Structures are given as structure tokens and as C-alpha cells.
Amino acid sequence: MASNIIDKLESLVPELTSALGQASSLEEVEGIRVRFLGRKGLLAELMSQVTTLAPEERPMVGKIANQAKAAMTSLWEDKVTAIKSQKQQHGLEIFDPSSPSWRPDLGSIHPITKVTREICSVFTSLGFDVVSGPEVENDFNNFEALNMPLEHPARDMQDTLYISDSILMRTHTSPLQVRTMLSRKPPLAVIAPGKVYRRDSDLTHTPMFHQVEGLLVGKDVTMADLRGILTAFVHKVFGQDIKVRFRPSFFPFTEPSAEVDMSCVLCGGTGRKDENPCRVCKETGWVEILGCGMVDPAVFAKVGYDPDEYVGFAFGLGVERITMLKYGVGDLRMFFENDLRFLGQFA
Ligand code: PHE
């Protein structure tokens, strides 16, 4: 009985030696330690059988078991040291071509860019060209040519950021109307997206925001054309069920002028007043989305178009506002904080 256990104990060391010889990673070596030296390992198993031996046989078997344990522990430690130093010599973890690599972080298109592109594509599909111009403008393009001479009260509406007396950050994309008409001959139809700047900053205003300008000039253009095109635009972006209404308004560079409202996307135009009143339309059922009108003949005169020969319409819309309505974004500041948890939702 004792000789049987002793044989087994003595075979442990060569078995461990051959197992370690085939191992090449720390994980494998740890598995071998558990198998031979672990609490339920081969050595522990043999030790538990010592109690079945006659009392006088036990000390000798115990001694052999302890020698085997010491030998195996030191063989195991040598192997761990060898693997670690080999890795250090290579200067890197052993390369495993089957292990998954890092997943690169992919960016996403900013919601304002996404909606700007969508707006532009609606109009390009109707035959409009996309144009652009500088954010730093001169007084003539931003105000003067748009029928807002110096001292004109409408300039106060715009909280201008001036660079010098006659150079400023454009307060709207309407200077693109002027630039387009100065450089092209009618008939023309353009759409102009871009950043605009105003000295204004609170919960619902940021000093920089985005607009898209539209301008169409030809010979028999009417307000009905304007209405048809803008209605088609709203239906394309928000769906066919949305109602559109034109409300008389004023802009110095259009006459007549209108503001366009669409039925509220949140309450479906009902203007809900119950215990959960609609916050988007302030219980009116309508939300304002853009300004527009027929190009004022005074503007044509400034850019050298014959006001008796040509008519046109223009419109300007705020991209942040359209995006908030389209995606139900409640806070304007989300567009500028660049929180990846927000931006990633538009991927
Ligand atoms: N430029 C005007 C604004 O920023 C919008 C507008 C554009 C109105 C074109 C009429 C025609 O408020």
C-alpha cells in the first residue's frame, strides 16, 4: 500500500517536468500548477491517502511527499521566471494573431451638418445650386444692399458683432443673395448654407448658429411659387401630414414678407392644453420655421438687376431649430457641447 503511494509520488516530478516542458504561456503554467499542486490536485489527492496507511509507515511517506512538493514548486517557479524573462527580451507580449484587435472609435456626422445636407438635397433636387461665402462680411453685403442703410432701425434687430466700422461677422446668410446676384445673371436658383453670428447668448440663443438661405430670380415668379416650394420642402423633411401656413411679416429686403409656420410635430397641431401642455408650440399648435418673401425691388436696384424685368423670392431658415423639431432635441446647447453620447445617436 505504502509502496504504491510512494511510486505515484515519485512519478509526479517527471510528469510535471514534461508538462512544463510543453507549456509556453503563463496561463498554461498556472493550469499545470493547479493540476499538480492545487488544493484538489494530484499531490493533495495522494496526501489524503496517507491516513489509510499504518501509523509506522506514515512518516516516511510524508517525507517523500514533502520532497516531491518542494521539487515541483521550484520547477514551477523556474518555468514562470523563464517565460517572464523571455517576454521581456522580446519587449512585448507574445503576439497572438487570432486575438481580436482594438475596435477603432468611429466618428459620426454632427446633427447640424446632417440636417444641413438634407435641406440642401431637397432643394438641389428641385434644381437649386449650392453656393457659399465668407463669414466675415462687409457692411454693403450684410446690410446696405439688403435695403438696410446705416441708421436703419432694422439693424438693431440683429445684434451685430463688428470687426471694424464696415467689416462684421455676417448676421444672416442673406449676404449670399447679394453675392450671387452680383456674380450671376438671372434666371437663377441658389441655396446657401452657413454659419451666422449675433451678439446674443442665453438658453435659446447662441452667438453662432446656422442658416440656410434660398434665392430664386426669374421673369414670372410669384408668391404662389414660393409657397409651393416651401410647402414641398416641409413635407419632404417632416412628412406629408404637416400643415403649413404663411403669416404676414416684415423684412427690409423682401416685400411682401411672410413667416412660415408648420403644425406642431410634438402635439400634432392640436396645441394641447391639458395637464400635459405642449411645450414645443406653447399650446398654439404651430411653430415658426422660417422667414421669406418676394425680393424687394430696392435690392434688385442695388445689385444692378432691372426691377421692372425681374422678380424673385428669398427665404432663410435656422438649421438648429429645424433639427430640434425633427429629432425632438429640447436644448439648443446640446449642439455645441459635443457630448459623444448625444452625437453618437446621429451615427
Ligand atoms: N435673413 C432673415 C433672418 O435672418 C431671414 C430671411 C431670409 C427673411 C430671406 C426673408 C428672406 O432673419
Side-chain angles (χ1 to χ4, degrees):
M1 198 49 195
S3 63
N4 190 7
I5 297 182
I6 290 168
D7 283 351
K8 285 188 179 158
L9 278 172
E10 284 178 340
S11 70
L12 282 181
V13 174
E15 277 175 36
L16 178 92
T17 306
S18 102
L20 287 177
Q22 284 164 33
S24 59
S25 74
L26 290 174
E27 291 74 26
E28 285 171 89
V29 172
E30 173 61 12
I32 292 167
R33 188 192 66 76
V34 170
R35 182 147 61 88
F36 284 86
L37 293 158
R39 269 197 309 120
K40 292 180 181 161
L42 295 170
L43 180 65
E45 157 86 32
L46 289 172
M47 293 295 275
S48 72
Q49 291 174 23
V50 170
T51 52
T52 65
L53 297 176
E56 64 276 14
E57 287 175 325
R58 290 182 197 172
M60 209 253 289
V61 175
K63 196 177 158 204
I64 291 171
N66 281 336
Q67 283 167 354
K69 183 174 180 178
M72 290 196 292
T73 306
S74 115
L75 282 169
W76 175 78
E77 283 169 357
D78 289 351
K79 181 72 183 184
V80 170
T81 313
I83 290 183
K84 284 185 177 163
S85 82
Q86 192 186 24
K87 274 192 185 176
Q88 268 162 16
Q89 273 169 25
H90 288 289
L92 35 80
E93 294 293 300
I94 287 167
F95 179 63
D96 175 359
S98 69
S99 77
S101 78
W102 296 104
R103 191 165 157 270
D105 284 337
L106 287 182
S108 55
I109 302 292
H110 193 284
I112 296 297
T113 306
K114 192 173 159 126
V115 170
T116 302
R117 287 182 186 172
E118 181 179 347
I119 293 169
C120 289
S121 87
V122 171
F123 286 102
T124 52
S125 77
L126 293 168
F128 286 69
D129 295 336
V130 179
V131 298
S132 63
E135 292 163 32
V136 178
E137 260 298 2
N138 60 44
D139 187 275
F140 179 82
N141 290 337
N142 196 85
F143 288 129
E144 178 85 34
L146 291 165
N147 203 22
M148 283 185 276
L150 217 58
E151 313 303 335
H152 191 287
R155 288 197 179 199
D156 294 346
M157 288 161 42
Q158 306 231 344
D159 293 310
T160 312
L161 287 157
Y162 279 95
I163 288 171
S164 71
D165 282 352
S166 59
I167 304 293
L168 44 83
M169 301 306 292
R170 66 181 177 198
T171 58
H172 50 180
T173 42
S174 299
L176 266 318
Q177 292 186 35
V178 179
R179 285 179 176 271
T180 303
M181 290 190 280
L182 287 173
S183 62
R184 296 192 187 195
K185 291 212 164 342
L188 60 84
V190 295
I191 193 91
K195 293 179 165 66
V196 302
Y197 299 83
R198 293 185 194 177
R199 219 180 59 218
D200 206 353
S201 184
D202 60 33
L203 266 185
T204 55
H205 297 88
T206 47
M208 184 280 285
F209 59 101
H210 299 79
Q211 288 190 332
V212 174
E213 192 82 8
L215 172 71
L216 182 144
V217 182
K219 286 206 162 144
D220 356 81
V221 183
T222 70
M223 197 130 182
D225 299 317
L226 172 61
R227 191 183 167 110
I229 280 195
L230 291 180
T231 305
F233 162 72
V234 172
H235 285 166
K236 201 80 179 252
V237 174
F238 290 97
Q240 293 292 326
D241 300 335
I242 300 287
K243 292 196 198 59
V244 178
R245 77 175 182 191
F246 278 51
R247 199 163 26 76
S249 184
F250 175 80
F251 298 101
F253 35 92
T254 47
E255 181 59 34
S257 303
E259 277 171 321
V260 176
D261 298 338
M262 63 177 213
S263 51
C264 179
V265 278
L266 190 70
C267 65
T270 59
R272 203 172 54 212
K273 291 184 177 59
D274 54 18
E275 64 289 341
N276 180 22
C278 187
R279 56 176 173 80
V280 170
C281 64
K282 304 204 179 71
E283 303 169 39
T284 63
W286 295 96
V287 286
E288 184 197 317
I289 50 161
L290 58 85
C292 64
M294 303 305 291
V295 178
D296 195 303
V299 175
F300 282 149
K302 288 276 184 191
V303 298
Y305 282 9
D306 181 355
D308 294 326
E309 198 179 350
Y310 293 108
V311 267
F313 63 68
F315 56 88
L317 53 85
V319 181
E320 277 78 1
R321 189 160 173 76
I322 302 275
T323 310
M324 288 173 88
L325 292 167
K326 188 170 165 72
Y327 292 104
V329 177
D331 187 341
L332 176 67
R333 292 169 299 182
M334 302 272 238
F335 296 128
F336 300 96
E337 284 166 350
N338 290 331
D339 185 327
L340 294 180
R341 291 168 298 181
F342 172 70
L343 298 181
Q345 295 179 47
F346 298 88

